Amino acid sequence: MDFTGRDIISIADFQRSEILHILARAAEVEATGRGKLLAGTVMATLFFEPSTRTRLSFEAAMLHQDGRVIGFSDVASTSTRKGESLADTIRMVEQYADVIVIRHPRDGAARLAAEVSRVPVINGGDGANQHPTQTFLDLYTIAKLQPALATGERALDIAFAGDLRYGRTVHSLVHALCHFRVNLLLVAPRGLELPEQYLEEARQAGVAVRTVASLQEAAAQSDILYMTRLQEERFPDPLEFDHVKASYRMTAAMLAGARPSMRILHPLPRVNEIATDVDATPHAQYFAQAGNGIPVRQALLALVLGRQP
Ligand code: CP
């Protein structure tokens, strides 16, 4: 399977066999450890929005494999502030780098960048749209924790909790999970439910979807509980946000009824939705999940740059 020169913009661009190939490559890279897989290559990170994990794990992924990094994380320091268009920025950066990773507040910005660029473009998150490399690392993490994802020996119960309407990591992951044998459980505040298009995708794929009433129910009935941050700015009424925030906070005590093998994931950053006492339980896997960003992004970079792990 040859991915050389390919853009990574949306998880919808990938077939199941391609997803499994990427996960297998990531496992090989992780088993091999640091090396020279990306030696002689330059990656540009163009981050028009804040990021900790995505930008730093892409940069660490390059540095651990002898690659080099250029880029910006503060748009105020770039010529965008002088009015330079995104297309012109990409036409410049493609002359400096072999691959471009972009995060942008506008839905569709990564696709636009890929249409302009001669070098591969990787979407590090565009608006409320897609975050495909997060999805690959989420799938990698789920498959490590619950091998039934890849083997299909039983249907995994995967619960999503929080802001399912605007959360781009949720949208990408729901789409990807439609390639696998899963049941979806949803718990979201009123007004932040999963958009109809993703429910329809699940229906078309034969994936059973049901809503549950509380985080405790989600924890008790799932193999994986994928939690997301509630975004205060989405709530028109601050009083309603305070009320909802209180009912969307997982504590260690609330995990008493959880399946012993249930694991909690979160793309991070968390704010209030997971109490720190959950961190010490065997259910908490969100920091290990973020760590999986390194081998997964190394595998993706190697594949689009034509380097064989
Ligand atoms: N998960 C994620 O995208 O984190 P950052 O916003 O810190 O990159």
Side-chain angles (χ1 to χ4, degrees):
M1 216 171 265
D2 187 7
F3 287 74
T4 308
R6 188 160 167 182
D7 304 306
I8 299 174
I9 304 302
S10 167
I11 199 71
D13 300 335
F14 291 84
Q15 308 289 328
R16 175 189 155 91
S17 58
E18 293 173 325
I19 292 172
L20 291 173
H21 181 75
I22 290 164
L23 302 190
R25 284 280 174 264
E28 283 173 35
V29 172
E30 184 171 17
T32 307
R34 297 187 189 199
K36 296 190 177 301
L37 184 59
L38 300 167
T41 65
V42 177
M43 174 187 74
T45 50
L46 314 185
F47 275 60
F48 294 85
E49 256 195 346
S51 166
T52 298
R53 277 146 293 275
T54 307
R55 186 173 66 82
L56 293 182
S57 66
F58 262 113
E59 293 186 1
M62 285 295 281
L63 297 174
H64 292 176
Q65 295 294 344
D66 223 20
R68 282 171 290 164
V69 175
I70 59 172
F72 58 80
S73 56
D74 177 10
V75 74
S77 68
T78 72
S79 289
T80 301
R81 277 294 149 92
K82 301 179 204 162
E84 186 165 49
S85 68
L86 176 61
D88 281 0
T89 302
I90 297 297
R91 287 189 188 102
M92 289 296 97
V93 176
E94 69 178 5
Q95 300 182 53
Y96 310 146
D98 303 298
V99 58
I100 295 172
V101 181
I102 182 171
R103 170 171 288 191
H104 201 282
R106 232 177 40 232
D107 292 24
R111 183 78 69 192
L112 171 75
E115 282 165 6
V116 172
S117 178
R118 286 180 292 112
V119 302
V121 172
I122 300 178
N123 183 2
D126 63 325
N129 186 33
Q130 283 272 324
H131 193 350
T133 68
Q134 177 73 42
T135 307
F136 285 119
L137 82 85
D138 290 343
L139 291 170
Y140 185 69
T141 304
I142 295 171
K144 259 181 156 180
L145 296 171
Q146 306 281 1
L149 182 79
T151 64
E153 68 197 68
R154 69 180 176 90
L156 284 180
D157 296 317
I158 302 194
F160 287 90
D163 178 356
L164 310 188
R165 179 171 178 190
Y166 296 104
R168 60 193 172 199
T169 63
V170 172
H171 300 166
S172 294
L173 185 54
V174 166
H175 182 94
L177 287 171
C178 289
H179 291 296
F180 296 91
R181 200 172 158 214
V182 296
N183 305 310
L184 301 185
L185 293 75
L186 308 176
V187 53
R190 196 158 32 89
L192 294 182
E193 293 94 350
L194 192 66
E196 177 57 30
Q197 84 180 82
Y198 299 102
L199 294 171
E200 181 57 25
E201 276 179 23
R203 278 194 286 270
Q204 298 267 340
V207 169
V209 183
R210 64 192 166 89
T211 55
V212 292
S214 66
L215 286 181
Q216 285 104 315
E217 270 189 52
Q221 298 175 27
S222 62
D223 298 302
I224 295 286
L225 171 55
Y226 192 94
M227 294 194 61
T228 61
R229 179 171 67 95
L230 290 179
Q231 297 169 61
E232 188 168 4
E233 64 275 17
R234 308 290 189 195
F235 283 77
D237 178 354
L239 288 177
E240 179 166 358
F241 177 74
D242 286 343
H243 172 72
V244 167
K245 189 173 72 173
S247 64
Y248 274 82
R249 180 173 166 80
M250 176 65 82
T251 65
M254 291 162 66
L255 292 166
R259 298 173 186 170
S261 63
M262 189 278 288
R263 295 292 178 259
I264 301 173
L265 304 185
H266 190 308
L268 303 178
R270 72 168 154 189
V271 186
N272 292 303
E273 60 278 5
I274 303 179
T276 52
D277 65 359
V278 175
D279 299 357
T281 73
H283 301 290
Q285 288 294 318
Y286 24 88
F287 294 117
Q289 175 190 3
N292 288 332
I294 298 279
V296 168
R297 290 180 169 124
Q298 285 172 334
L300 289 168
L301 287 163
L303 284 163
V304 301
L305 290 168
R307 303 293 177 96
Q308 289 307 314

